[in-house]
Amino acid sequence: MCDGVRVRYADTKADSDTIVLMLAPWPESLWAFRRIWNRVAELGRVVALDMPGFGHSDQHRPELIAPEALGRFLADLIDEWGLGAPHVVGPDVGTPAGLFLAARAPERVTSLTIGGGAVRFPIEAGGALKQTIEAPNLDVLRESDARKNISAAVEISAPNDSEPEVHEDYVSAYDLGRFAESARFVRHYPEHNKVLRDLLPSITTPTQIVAGENDALVPWSNNQYLADLLPNSEIHPLEATHFAWEEASEEYGRLVAEWISGAYRRASA
């Protein structure tokens, strides 16, 4: 729990000065980090989170399902849970949330690993993400077959025949109307990206941008945009589509581990 919101999380509870906070992507859950978990856990304490509105966490406060609001929520959670100033790993929807966290509460974060989030202004998105952002209202999304759509979307990252439990965890997280509610977040992009655009040059947190260069949902231009505007950043394209943290997990995990182990310092040197 944090601020009255039930949050699903996993915590190694390791006794370490190094703390990593991982923010699950959409439409997945904290299981998205299963392929890099052991590698990151070697670095210190790891806490993985389904942010409010996503995965299997509460959706009862729709005002939180927005980039800037979740940035504030994360600052409160870090303080309430005694996480100090963690290294934040936030692909996809974790990208704008992590950036607003770093902009509004820079003392709460040591470094960022982000990417694959449609943060550009004017917005650039493709496929189902573009359709979701531009849908006239949530009713259109509520009427869609979320189970079928999410199942198809995550098949590449968690095949149902080889990882049925993970696949079902993803699908059930957004079934029964939960997908439409979670979509509130990305539908805030047009106005929140404009605010973020003006904040990016002032974010001095060391930032590593890691994403799939063949992402049809979130074009590469979004990642290059961050690299151009963030003063202390590095960018690493991976041979992957949207779910790079799973599709290219070996390289993704290596970059995260090296970054947290000390490479983040060179970004602000």
Side-chain angles (χ1 to χ4, degrees), residues 183-258:
R184 293 176 185 274
F185 188 89
V186 300
R187 288 167 62 79
H188 281 294
Y189 281 177
E191 69 265 27
H192 283 219
N193 285 5
K194 184 176 182 180
V195 176
L196 192 57
R197 176 196 60 184
D198 297 333
L199 291 173
L200 290 173
S202 67
I203 296 175
T204 57
T205 302
T207 302
Q208 176 177 226
I209 304 153
V210 184
E213 60 182 340
N214 304 312
D215 188 343
L217 294 174
V218 181
W220 181 254
S221 57
N222 287 276
N223 304 300
Q224 189 59 54
Y225 173 81
L226 292 178
D228 292 342
L229 291 179
L230 289 167
N232 298 329
S233 63
E234 294 184 0
I235 188 167
H236 300 277
L238 300 183
E239 187 59 40
T241 60
H242 182 65
F243 301 98
W245 47 92
E246 289 161 296
E247 295 175 54
S249 58
E250 185 66 27
E251 183 67 2
Y252 195 98
R254 181 187 67 80
L255 287 167
V256 170
E258 290 180 357

Side-chain angles (χ1 to χ4, degrees), residues 31-105:
W31 279 102
F33 300 117
R34 67 197 180 283
R35 294 177 185 163
I36 67 171
W37 184 265
N38 289 341
R39 189 161 197 169
V40 179
E42 293 174 351
L43 307 175
R45 181 183 176 187
V46 180
V47 179
L49 196 71
D50 286 354
M51 295 186 292
F54 297 106
H56 291 274
S57 290
D58 278 350
Q59 291 188 328
H60 72 269
R61 290 185 44 195
E63 73 277 8
L64 285 180
I65 312 176
E68 190 162 12
L70 273 189
R72 291 193 299 268
F73 178 87
L74 290 172
D76 292 341
L77 180 142
I78 289 168
D79 184 46
E80 186 173 320
W81 289 12
L83 301 182
H87 296 271
V88 174
V89 178
D92 187 63
V93 291
T95 294
L99 287 168
F100 272 113
L101 165 65
R104 303 302 195 194

Side-chain angles (χ1 to χ4, degrees), residues 110-122:
T110 294
S111 79
L112 293 172
T113 295
I114 54 176
V119 293
R120 196 180 186 281
F121 184 84

Side-chain angles (χ1 to χ4, degrees), residues 95-145:
T95 294
L99 287 168
F100 272 113
L101 165 65
R104 303 302 195 194
E107 74 283 357
R108 291 283 182 244
V109 56
T110 294
S111 79
L112 293 172
T113 295
I114 54 176
V119 293
R120 196 180 186 281
F121 184 84
I123 194 165
E124 289 191 9
L129 177 60
K130 178 179 174 66
Q131 295 170 13
T132 298
I133 294 170
E134 296 179 352
N137 52 57
L138 289 178
D139 289 340
V140 174
L141 303 175
R142 293 186 181 108
E143 292 166 2
S144 66
D145 189 339

